[in-house]
Amino acid sequence: MKFFARLSPAGEIVFGVRDEGVGIAADEQAHVFERFGQTRRSKSTEKGSGLGLPIVRGLAEAHGGHVELQSRLNRGTTVTVTLPANRIVSRAAVALAS
């Protein structure tokens, strides 16, 4: 599993996780964003509750951002969160607040 984070040219913060696991079938990708939504494959092999991605999406959208999922069976999955530039707090602002 690999984590990544960067600033986009527009000043957005972009971060996420990439794995080389079993992947998610195209027809099940929308389902994993539903509460307690799990793929047919994950129900038999994983112990998750199906809440992780819905929580990530909810937090991202609450901050004006969005989540992208890219996945291919037997190739892995990438989940990318993008938050707008106005959600980034500078170090100077943090120092002033403390």
Side-chain angles (χ1 to χ4, degrees), residues 12 57-67 81-87:
E12 301 161 312
R57 176 185 263 174
L59 288 169
E61 290 176 353
H63 290 278
H66 64 275
V67 178
V81 177
T82 303
L83 298 177
N86 66 2
R87 301 311 295 171

Side-chain angles (χ1 to χ4, degrees), residues 1 12 18 22 25 27-28 34 36 39-41 49 52 55 57-58 67 70 77 83 85 89-90 96-97:
M1 188 173 301
E12 301 161 312
R18 179 178 305 118
V22 298
D27 64 335
E28 293 188 313
E34 297 170 6
F36 305 106
T39 64
R40 287 184 294 271
R41 219 175 206 181
S49 64
I55 289 170
R57 176 185 263 174
V67 178
Q70 296 175 321
T77 301
L83 298 177
V89 178
S90 71
L96 286 174

Side-chain angles (χ1 to χ4, degrees), residues 35-58:
R35 286 181 292 161
F36 305 106
Q38 295 180 330
T39 64
R40 287 184 294 271
R41 219 175 206 181
S42 70
K43 287 178 186 173
S44 62
T45 62
E46 301 294 325
K47 295 182 181 179
S49 64
L51 290 174
L53 287 173
I55 289 170
V56 168
R57 176 185 263 174

Side-chain angles (χ1 to χ4, degrees), residues 15-34:
F15 60 94
V17 63
R18 179 178 305 118
D19 71 36
E20 296 176 358
V22 298
I24 302 168
D27 64 335
E28 293 188 313
Q29 290 181 16
H31 183 65
V32 299
F33 285 102
E34 297 170 6

